[in-house]
Amino acid sequence: MRIDGMSYRSVWIDNDEPDIVKIIDQASLPFSFNICNLRSVEDVYDAIADMKVRGAPAIGVAGAFGMYLATLEITVRTNIREHLHNAARYLSSCRPTAINLSLAVTKVLNSIFSEDLSRKEDISRKALLVAQEISDNEINNCKEIGRYGLEIIRKISLQKNGGSVNILTHCNAGWLACVDLGTVTAPVYMARDKGIPVHVWVDETRPRNQGARLTCFELANEEIPHTLITDNAGGYLMQKGMVDIVLTGTDRITRSGDCANKTGTYLKALAASDNNIPFYVAAPSTSFDLNISNGIDSIPIEERDAEEVTEIEGIAGGRVIRVRICPENTKASNYGFDITPARLIKGLITEKGIINANESDIVNLFN
Ligand code: MRU
């Protein structure tokens, strides 16, 4: 995507600095636009843990590039197999909910050992090639998801005699989260490009406010009409007929179609179901986990620092500040994700087409 006339991915490697993974620092947006240089596996781990790079596809790509950095650390004394397996375990453990991270890391690891490579240069070249492929594929996935999602938006607009389509989204499944384009935003941008009027209701997405901070930043940059709402306002808007479709991303989809996404997504799905509003999840095949079925029992849900709940970050007088929003010593819990059961999901928009959120459609998709 373009920022101030410059084209960016949210994670990348510059040809002229091939030993550095670059990321757009999502933790400082929208207050400042910074690029971070990651030079080691630890740097990648910290950037993912601190959510400087976040969003399921983007952390997968960052993890894959992290494996490439691990290959650069090989010396003559390194036990290569042990070193790379340790790096893969370490990176995969960084955030547990998005399956994309461990899938991408494992893919790089396996690609190295599937060939009989022993020279450091060959191992690094292979790791970089596969990580780049993973990155390019995620962007391509978004393009295809955009094409399929566009048709849903077009249909709704036709039903409204060409009226504006009101899309409600939660968290950020835009280009920052997906390296480029975004799973939720690609259909929106394509609809805009086709002259279909769209408007996006953006949930603020407490506690870290990815909706307010990142989705609003992206939509403003693309001049897409949008309105920021509190996380709890969506139900009322749905009751008043002000939402035509709910469209979110996901961090993991089980074999039976249950979806983990940022906390609060489930409540939107419940409200959408009560109001007969279609709830769609836009996700690449790299977010599916066919090894598990029941999302509530099986998807690991990340618990983050309580301070993310007891404090809030914003800007005042040009300075970024954090303030406490509750009495001192208030106990807080911070479940990062929740599970939307398949029965509440109208469809999964993937790069291979739109499917039902059920086992037979999902297994079929991978055959
Ligand atoms: O904790 P985050 O900000 O990484 O959570 C991200 C989400 O919940 C996104 O919706 C998800 O990763 C999908 S991005 C296509």
Side-chain angles (χ1 to χ4, degrees):
M1 301 297 290
R2 296 182 82 77
I3 305 285
D4 293 336
M6 288 270 292
S7 202
Y8 288 98
R9 293 182 173 192
S10 60
V11 189
W12 75 100
I13 291 190
D14 268 348
N15 286 341
D16 45 359
E17 285 178 301
D19 299 355
I20 299 175
V21 176
K22 292 184 179 278
I23 57 163
I24 292 173
D25 180 359
Q26 298 189 45
S28 64
L29 283 171
F31 311 126
S32 56
F33 184 84
N34 300 322
I35 291 167
C36 295
N37 289 333
L38 313 180
R39 299 168 194 274
S40 65
V41 176
E42 283 74 22
D43 282 356
V44 173
Y45 182 99
D46 290 344
I48 296 174
D50 297 343
M51 294 176 63
K52 290 181 173 169
V53 54
R54 50 146 297 284
I59 63 175
V61 171
F65 282 132
M67 287 302 294
Y68 160 66
L69 293 184
T71 68
L72 299 181
E73 292 166 3
I74 294 170
T75 69
V76 280
R77 284 183 299 282
T78 305
N79 175 331
I80 293 176
R81 187 167 281 275
E82 192 179 284
H83 171 70
L84 293 180
H85 273 93
N86 285 343
R89 247 193 316 275
Y90 176 63
L91 287 167
S92 301
S93 70
C94 183
R95 294 194 73 193
T97 304
I99 184 80
N100 307 58
L101 177 58
S102 55
L103 269 186
V105 163
T106 308
K107 191 166 183 175
V108 177
L109 185 72
N110 290 345
S111 74
I112 292 168
F113 292 115
S114 69
E115 288 175 33
D116 202 12
L117 305 175
S118 54
R119 287 178 60 236
K120 173 182 170 171
E121 294 70 29
D122 295 336
I123 294 173
S124 291
R125 198 174 306 117
K126 181 74 188 179
L128 181 58
L129 186 79
V130 175
Q132 294 281 21
E133 261 172 31
I134 292 171
S135 179
D136 292 345
N137 281 341
E138 287 299 9
I139 297 169
N140 229 23
N141 290 340
C142 288
K143 258 184 220 153
E144 295 305 308
I145 288 168
R147 285 196 317 114
Y148 290 111
L150 164 66
E151 294 315 316
I152 297 172
I153 295 173
R154 193 200 302 276
K155 211 183 268 176
I156 295 172
S157 180
L158 284 173
Q159 283 160 3
K160 294 180 78 176
N161 296 319
S164 180
V165 178
N166 287 297
I167 300 157
L168 186 144
T169 194
H170 192 73
C171 198
N172 171 267
W175 73 273
L176 291 164
C178 302
V179 187
D180 206 351
L181 272 173
T183 58
V184 162
T185 43
V188 173
Y189 298 146
M190 285 186 193
R192 183 264 324 264
D193 294 345
K194 296 283 179 200
I196 301 169
V198 285
H199 165 261
V200 184
W201 296 108
V202 183
D203 281 356
E204 59 181 346
T205 320
R206 279 286 287 151
R208 289 186 65 110
N209 294 323
Q210 292 94 324
R213 296 180 63 151
L214 304 176
T215 304
C216 287
F217 169 79
E218 292 189 21
L219 295 176
N221 198 50
E222 284 298 308
E223 297 178 10
I224 300 284
H226 62 284
T227 309
L228 177 64
I229 53 173
T230 61
D231 286 336
N232 298 322
Y236 177 69
L237 299 183
M238 291 184 208
Q239 289 171 321
K240 296 295 275 185
M242 295 159 78
V243 178
D244 298 305
I245 176 174
V246 182
L247 189 52
T248 74
T250 180
D251 282 67
R252 193 184 293 227
I253 305 175
T254 70
R255 192 182 178 88
S256 64
D258 294 346
C259 289
N261 195 48
K262 186 52 49 193
T263 297
T265 304
Y266 170 47
L267 294 178
K268 294 299 131 65
L270 281 173
S273 163
D274 195 44
N275 290 282
N276 271 324
I277 292 164
F279 179 100
Y280 281 94
V281 172
S285 49
T286 49
S287 295
F288 285 76
D289 183 353
L290 297 193
N291 295 319
I292 58 176
S293 191
N294 183 320
I296 296 160
D297 292 340
S298 319
I299 299 180
I301 297 295
E302 178 183 22
E303 285 188 62
R304 294 187 62 86
D305 205 320
E307 273 179 12
E308 291 183 350
V309 180
T310 57
E311 295 177 0
I312 197 161
E313 191 176 74
I315 191 159
R319 242 168 25 96
V320 177
I321 55 165
R322 294 184 71 82
V323 293
R324 183 160 42 79
I325 58 163
C326 56
E328 221 173 334
N329 303 322
T330 295
K331 193 173 158 228
S333 88
N334 189 5
Y335 291 97
F337 296 87
D338 62 19
I339 310 291
T340 300
R343 68 186 154 79
L344 298 176
I345 299 168
K346 168 92 175 159
L348 305 171
I349 309 172
T350 78
E351 77 275 16
K352 298 178 191 168
I354 301 169
I355 59 166
N356 293 312
N358 64 36
E359 179 155 349
S360 70
D361 273 27
I362 290 172
V363 171
N364 229 350
L365 188 77
F366 285 88
N367 286 337

